Amino acid sequence: MTSLPIRPIVQNQAEAKEDVPDLSYISQPIGDLFGSLPTDPSSYTQYQLDAEQIQFYKENGYLINIKVLSEEQCDRILEDYKKFLLWDQNDITTQAGSMNDAHRISHPGMHLFHEFHSNQTNDPDNVLSHMLGHWRITPLFHDLVFHPAITVPSSQLLASANSDGRSMVPVQFWHDQLFAKPPHHGANVAWHQDYSYWTRTIPMNHMTVHIALDEQTLENGTLHFIPKSHKWTRDNGHPLPVTDFDFKDMESIKTILTAEEKEQFKPVPSLLKKGYASFHHPLMVHGSYPNRTSLPRRAAVVNYFGQGTKSNTDEPLLLNVPVIKKGELITGRFFPLVFDPAWLEAK
């Protein structure tokens, strides 16, 4: 099996500001988004999925329209979001962008991003803003990764992929992402499997949570899934090869699919409401079409893994994160524990 070369690490050129706190040193909610973590089990169990939802996920590889935020919480997060978008301040069509161009934004915390692409496609007519690491910068984004409305279902769904009989597992934070499509010029995100980009970790024990901060429609580029594609693998369980690191070529994945997979390639739109999330398997083939409406389409993504996941590389797992040697457990302040089933035990 062949794939494109690994994307080279490009250093973040934003000027470091010593007086800007790095929130990755705080391994619990600050309290700005939903308060503190609950202390009683019922405050967690209210977020649990039912057996039918878990079975749907196991069979299809995704679950959609789970409410995780109120509209008021979304609006507050969007105020932070806007600070990181060049096209919210300037003419969209001039924002061709480049890799890790965080230095183009005046926000004092820009040096903390692992990746920042004002427009990852580098095409001014098809703009996709994509970034990783914002949980280190603002309290609202920081607290989002700890929200029980997200972590509790993730624990259940991660457990459902295991064969050890557990109904829930401890969950660690992997990394966050923002995907934003401006009005009229918003780009697509090409079909892909997330774990194709994450083979630097083993075993495959991950969960992706995509949160709609604007209502998603067919016209503005809602997320689409290919049901049951989480069973598509190569070479004894490996993910499909990467066909486009920058997500530009929407249909490029079809060049490496089998005839049977092409026959099964029937996209389902998620049509997420504002404040609602989808949860999907690391091998789920998903993507989204362009935004040609007069309003932006913005989403926050939080990625997790089950406790016990190890590094599969001697390179940094993320830009400017200390190396965790190949074969060692992924731990440390960049990968905090966000949920433990033990917390459901009565105190």
Side-chain angles (χ1 to χ4, degrees), residues 47-330:
Y47 298 116
Q48 287 183 323
L49 303 171
D50 60 35
E52 184 177 351
Q53 290 171 311
I54 295 172
Q55 186 60 33
F56 181 91
Y57 174 85
K58 290 176 67 175
E59 292 179 0
N60 294 281
Y62 69 97
L63 189 64
I64 60 175
N65 272 321
I66 305 299
K67 186 173 183 179
V68 298
L69 294 173
S70 68
E71 289 204 9
E72 185 269 340
Q73 287 173 317
C74 289
D75 290 340
R76 292 179 60 212
I77 289 173
L78 285 172
E79 288 304 309
D80 278 353
Y81 208 127
K82 293 174 184 177
K83 299 171 184 176
F84 303 134
L85 299 176
L86 278 171
W87 48 261
D88 195 60
Q89 306 166 30
N90 303 303
D91 177 10
I92 296 169
T93 60
T94 66
Q95 305 311 312
S98 61
M99 290 182 63
N100 268 352
D101 56 344
H103 57 283
R104 301 175 68 193
I105 303 283
S106 61
H107 191 284
M110 298 303 292
H111 63 286
L112 296 175
F113 276 106
H114 303 304
E115 288 187 35
F116 183 91
H117 313 281
S118 60
N119 180 14
Q120 190 156 351
T121 74
N122 205 35
D123 178 355
D125 292 321
N126 292 284
V127 177
L128 177 68
S129 297
H130 178 214
M131 54 207 80
L132 287 72
H134 40 286
W135 82 290
R136 303 173 64 187
I137 301 172
T138 81
L140 292 176
F141 280 127
H142 175 274
D143 284 8
L144 184 64
V145 309
F146 295 93
H147 198 329
I150 304 170
T151 62
V152 170
S154 294
S155 174
Q156 292 178 278
L157 296 176
L158 282 167
S160 75
N162 297 330
S163 58
D164 58 12
R166 289 182 293 173
S167 61
M168 305 186 84
V169 296
V171 179
Q172 287 179 249
F173 175 62
W174 173 214
H175 65 73
D176 53 4
Q177 294 169 281
L178 296 180
F179 285 98
K181 304 181 181 190
H184 304 298
H185 301 275
N188 59 248
V189 175
W191 300 110
H192 65 284
Q193 293 177 323
D194 287 340
Y195 192 64
S196 297
Y197 300 84
W198 296 345
T199 54
R200 60 190 185 276
T201 65
I202 52 172
M204 183 184 66
N205 191 23
H206 298 66
M207 174 62 53
T208 300
V209 186
H210 178 106
I211 305 161
L213 299 177
D214 300 299
E215 182 177 359
Q216 296 189 7
T217 66
L218 291 175
E219 294 74 24
N220 73 5
T222 188
L223 193 65
H224 284 68
F225 298 106
I226 309 299
K228 305 184 188 305
S229 60
H230 63 305
K231 300 175 183 178
W232 296 357
T233 61
R234 298 290 187 271
D235 300 341
N236 298 316
H238 290 282
L240 302 178
V242 174
T243 57
D244 186 347
F245 273 115
D246 291 317
F247 307 119
K248 291 185 291 187
D249 187 349
M250 187 70 196
E251 307 297 334
S252 62
I253 197 172
K254 293 182 179 179
T255 64
I256 50 90
L257 296 183
T258 66
E260 182 180 6
E261 289 165 348
K262 289 179 182 178
E263 178 66 24
Q264 298 171 359
F265 204 96
K266 298 176 181 179
V268 173
S270 61
L271 300 174
L272 296 175
K273 303 172 185 176
K274 183 174 181 175
Y276 284 68
S278 61
F279 295 73
H280 68 255
H281 189 279
L283 292 182
M284 167 53 49
V285 175
H286 61 289
S288 59
Y289 293 100
N291 176 20
R292 295 296 185 254
T293 70
S294 60
L295 297 173
R297 190 283 240 175
R298 296 156 294 187
V301 176
V302 185
N303 303 297
Y304 299 112
F305 56 74
Q307 191 176 57
T309 303
K310 298 179 180 180
S311 170
N312 194 34
T313 179
D314 287 321
E315 300 295 326
L317 292 169
L318 297 166
L319 180 64
N320 294 331
V321 169
V323 170
I324 297 175
K325 292 183 178 179
K326 186 174 183 177
E328 293 186 355
L329 288 173
I330 302 177

